[in-house]
């Protein structure tokens, strides 16, 4: 195949712009590739990660030492750390991506128009995907694998704290991609450790087709507000559990505990409990005790605070701030509401639109709650923790979109594609 | 139904922000409405437009007078003008929207997960749609009708030159919507005629879910570059017709003429002709004569200029600028290319990614062109003019997206929706 990249002028470009142009040229070469060519490259990446593990772990040691010298917390150092075992797990994930179906080429819509023209809407790669992310170096490999599988070139802009690790990982990936006969520029680390390179990436409209920020709220806000490239907003989860008037109390306690305490540091963990006033007396003392046992501090409204003498739970009075906080810790805000509609109104006002659960035995209540709540996912008698690409059976996840455009909720491979229309006639004119 | 709008605090807000909050509250009420309620409102709007035509035409006269005083061109005054006949046609369009299927509630994807949870991905309205548009007051009614039908509230920011017309139209629409029992705030004209209100709308992230600019390139660039609200880019069409080595010359001339000259002022009209060198001698003299007869000026590369003595066409030498220009007039850029791949490379470099056509008798060429060209629509042996919601059978069109995120190509009602996931269990926890 003739490469289309020869027509692009590279002179006088900044390193980031040059990387973006190279990615665009690589994307043109990737788009028409059949699944087998992409899977071969993915399997080569997985093999190379295993063969060159020591190289990766050595580079990672540089980042870890730098992090320790900077007084970074043990938790963050742990997230940063790559062991031979973790590298093997990352390689296994890449093989899993290779085993997934290829979304490219799927005919989404098709018909023969009245004039005889054949119309087909076909899935195609987005083109160039930029991922801006923090700490974890496994995102480097995940992101590259998912983008390659969906025929996209990827520009990776990881945290400067993981720069040595990411550089080593991307070197291994590019060697494997190039060795498989695909353009190595399909996977690039954005050059430069400074913030300027993020700014430049955010202004690369026309060269970069979408930016996906993955990380804390402040990173996401910066990208959303400063980018002229279309952005998919991910991640913030101020999730609610609403216990309805008609409810199974055991189920409600189970779902509350699982939603809050099974893994509090993730975006689909619950942050606020809303209880219908009719079940408050029956439910709250039990629920508060159970939360206390799990080590959860409750930030309660006046009525919840009123149960303090009937529970061993630590209850502190909630302020308005609590209703909008994503704690990501063993804390939960809690309020008693007058009705299902009041719960919905509370959620509409304060939720980040990620996941809200209702626990109810009433079919009418379940139906009304799912209709009125405007979040990526509404769970009926199930934990908020199920909002996850793996749980949904997508096989892989590039993030959880909390915006309404393009993709909403867990994003799998199809969410990394666009479509184009193919119009086929026999000389048709209007 | 209890309105959810009562919880929103309106004090101390600017008029635009207040309109956005009201729209958001109205959107919450619209989302769960069944199709019949929305269709009733649409039919009431159509009736009201006909009953109150004189009110609308009188307001329009104010805009026309102001435009004439400002020395506006006849063409633009014509686009601005509403006659009783045109108002009737607009009302008929609204009835047509009422007759279209409702996209809301469609189950896009559904499965039972291994653990027994039922997963459904269901179409829901986007919420609040902002439309920023120029001149034509029919967009006011079209936009309102399409948004209402898809369960969205709409903020309309038309041209200040059509302010009186738009004010009258929105008044009629709001009365009809309110009279049907739906929230009148589902349709609002953005207050203020100044540019500040556009700026404010562009910064209303969290209140407005998407902005759709419709108009000239400079309007679209302003919105794309300045908006923190997600934007769907529409419209710019630097479309190409490529005549392959293996081609039916009659068909090629027909498609070229139809693409360029049937209606040059629209975005799906062709702006550049690319001819494979092997058919240049056979095709170009005929094609150039045909273009000359249609009144088209040709901006040719060196090789096209070389045919000047074999045609009556006006050929001026093309500059680099011609390759990227959307003329929207009786002008076309033209070049001879070495190969199909060279045509693709030219298109990738200069096209706005709207629509490109190939005229070929070769199945292999058609397949390669459709695979490699990265535009919203690729036409094989058909005019570029078919890229249109009406032609595609969508029944209505809110615009033609030239970006890859969310929607690409002609946008119908489904493109005005998002989705949410509904997870139903029996007390499932992780």
């Amino acid at each position: 195949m003739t490469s289309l990249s020869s027509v692009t002028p590279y002179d006088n470009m900044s390193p980031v712009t040059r990387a973006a142009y190279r990615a665009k040229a690589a994307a043109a070469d990737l788009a028409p590739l059949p699944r087998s060519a992409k899977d071969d490259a993915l399997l080569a990446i997985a093999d190379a990660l295993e063969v060159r593990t020591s190289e990766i772990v050595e580079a990672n040691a540089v980042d870890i030492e730098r992090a320790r010298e900077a007084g970074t917390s043990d938790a963050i150092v742990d997230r940063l750390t790559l062991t031979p075992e973790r590298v093997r797990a990352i390689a296994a994930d890449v093989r899993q991506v290779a085993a997934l179906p290829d979304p490219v080429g799927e005919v989404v819509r098709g018909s023969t128009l009245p004039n005889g023209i054949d119309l087909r809407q076909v899935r195609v790669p987005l083109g160039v995907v930029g991922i801006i992310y923090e700490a974890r170096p496994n995102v480097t490999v995940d992101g590259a694998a998912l983008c390659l599988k969906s025929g996209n070139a990827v520009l990776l802009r990881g945290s400067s704290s993981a720069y040595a690790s990411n550089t080593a990982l991307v070197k291994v990936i590019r060697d494997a991609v190039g060795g498989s006969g695909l353009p190595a520029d399909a996977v690039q680390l954005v050059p430069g450790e400074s913030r300027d390179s993020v700014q430049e990436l955010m202004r690369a409209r026309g060269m970069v087709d979408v930016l996906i920020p993955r990380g804390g709220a402040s990173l996401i806000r910066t990208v959303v507000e400063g980018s002229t490239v279309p952005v998919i907003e991910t991640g913030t989860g101020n999730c609610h559990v609403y216990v309805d008037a008609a409810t199974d109390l055991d189920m409600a306690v189970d779902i509350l505990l699982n939603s809050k305490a099974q893994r509090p540091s993730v975006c689909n963990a619950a942050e606020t409990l809303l209880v219908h006033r009719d079940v408050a007396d029956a439910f709250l003392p039990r629920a508060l005790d159970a939360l206390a046992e799990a080590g959860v501090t409750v930030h309660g409204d006046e009525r919840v605070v009123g149960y303090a003498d009937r529970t061993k739970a630590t209850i502190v009075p909630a302020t308005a701030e609590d209703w909008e906080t994503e704690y990501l810790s063993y804390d939960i805000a809690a309020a008693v509401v007058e009705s299902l509609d009041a719960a919905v109104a509370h959620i509409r006002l304060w939720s980040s639109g990620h996941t809200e659960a209702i626990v109810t035995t009433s079919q009418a209540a379940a139906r009304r709650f799912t209709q009125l709540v405007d979040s990526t996912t509404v769970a009926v008698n199930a934990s908020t923790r199920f909002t996850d690409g793996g749980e949904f059976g997508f096989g892989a996840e590039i993030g959880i979109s909390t915006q309404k455009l393009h993709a909403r909720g867990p994003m799998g491979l199809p969410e990394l594609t666009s479509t184009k229309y193919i119009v086929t006639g026999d000389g048709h004119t209007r």
Side-chain angles (χ1 to χ4, degrees), chain A:
Chain A
M1 193 169 89
T2 313
S3 169
L4 296 170
S5 50
S6 54
V7 297
T8 311
Y10 286 137
D11 300 339
N12 306 318
M13 282 181 187
S14 77
V16 174
T17 308
R18 190 176 304 192
Y21 262 99
R22 283 188 169 145
K24 196 173 174 176
D29 292 341
L30 288 178
L33 289 181
R35 172 175 173 171
S36 59
K38 295 182 284 190
D39 287 354
D40 287 350
L42 289 171
L43 297 175
I45 291 170
D47 293 346
L49 289 169
E50 290 182 340
V51 170
R52 294 168 68 176
T53 297
S54 59
E55 189 181 326
I56 294 162
V57 171
E58 273 165 39
N60 183 245
V62 176
D63 287 331
I64 292 175
E65 199 188 323
R66 206 165 52 159
R68 290 216 188 277
E69 277 168 13
T72 308
S73 74
D74 284 353
I76 290 182
V77 168
D78 180 63
R79 287 174 51 161
L80 186 60
T81 301
L82 290 173
T83 61
E85 200 186 352
R86 286 187 181 179
V87 173
R88 266 196 304 277
I90 292 171
D93 286 346
V94 174
R95 290 195 181 95
Q96 213 184 331
V97 172
L100 292 173
D102 184 350
V104 173
E106 187 198 341
V107 177
V108 176
R109 183 150 53 172
S111 63
T112 302
L113 302 180
N115 59 10
I117 278 181
D118 282 328
L119 181 69
R120 301 282 178 271
Q121 186 183 17
V122 179
R123 268 197 203 289
V124 296
L126 283 168
V128 178
V129 176
I131 307 180
I132 302 176
Y133 55 105
E134 288 171 344
R136 288 181 198 271
N138 63 310
V139 175
T140 307
V141 185
D142 268 13
L146 291 168
C147 287
L148 266 184
K149 177 78 189 200
S150 50
N152 294 293
V154 65
L155 291 170
L156 297 157
R157 208 310 185 168
S159 163
S160 56
S161 66
Y163 195 71
S165 313
N166 289 338
T167 303
L169 288 167
V170 168
K171 188 170 181 341
V172 170
I173 294 170
R174 285 172 58 92
D175 288 350
V177 169
S180 309
L182 268 57
D185 283 342
V187 180
Q188 293 178 80
L189 200 63
V190 172
E193 294 182 60
S194 79
R195 295 246 159 202
D196 292 354
S197 65
V198 175
Q199 289 296 327
E200 222 181 315
L201 199 55
M202 283 161 44
R203 310 295 298 180
R205 193 176 176 98
M207 289 180 287
V208 178
D209 294 287
V210 60
L211 280 183
I212 305 176
R214 287 185 63 173
S218 112
L219 167 73
I220 290 166
R221 200 176 321 115
T222 302
V223 176
V224 158
E225 291 184 357
S227 181
T228 58
V229 174
V231 174
I232 297 181
E233 194 174 348
T234 63
T236 313
N238 175 15
C239 304
H240 294 69
V241 173
Y242 165 63
V243 178
D244 189 41
T247 203
D248 176 324
L249 293 177
D250 292 334
M251 188 193 287
V253 171
D254 284 353
I255 286 175
L256 170 64
L257 271 193
N258 188 259
S259 298
K260 176 67 252 180
Q262 194 241 352
R263 197 172 166 203
S265 64
V266 291
C267 63
N268 59 16
E271 307 292 8
T272 302
L273 165 68
L274 301 172
V275 181
H276 192 289
R277 63 170 182 184
D278 291 355
V279 290
D281 273 352
F283 177 70
L284 271 176
R286 281 185 59 184
L288 292 168
D289 281 353
L291 288 169
E293 250 168 64
V296 177
T297 301
V298 176
H299 304 251
D301 74 347
E302 252 179 55
R303 289 200 273 190
V304 172
V305 170
Y307 288 90
D309 56 352
R310 277 181 270 172
T311 174
K312 54 189 177 208
T314 310
I315 310 182
V316 298
T319 63
E321 210 187 324
D322 284 297
W323 308 127
E324 62 180 349
T325 299
E326 185 187 22
Y327 298 111
L328 299 173
S329 61
Y330 286 93
D331 291 85
I332 193 165
V336 174
V337 293
E338 292 298 297
S339 63
L340 183 146
D341 278 15
V344 169
H346 181 108
I347 289 167
R348 277 192 174 269
L349 194 57
W350 299 111
S351 170
S352 63
H354 190 297
T355 299
E356 332 297 345
I358 180 174
V359 190
T360 186
T361 56
S362 157
Q363 169 67 8
R367 193 168 148 84
R368 186 160 175 81
F369 190 81
T370 49
Q371 276 185 337
L372 295 186
V373 166
D374 185 30
S375 297
T376 78
T377 306
V378 183
V380 178
N381 296 336
S383 169
T384 58
R385 295 273 295 111
F386 285 105
T387 306
D388 175 88
E391 292 292 326
F392 280 10
F394 297 171
E397 181 188 286
I398 192 88
I400 295 179
S401 164
T402 50
Q403 70 178 40
K404 293 190 191 166
L405 227 57
H406 184 71
R408 197 178 191 205
M411 291 187 287
L413 288 170
E415 282 70 29
L416 286 174
T417 65
S418 181
T419 59
K420 69 181 171 195
Y421 286 100
I422 303 186
V423 166
T424 308
D426 312 295
H428 283 73
T429 55
R430 281 180 74 178

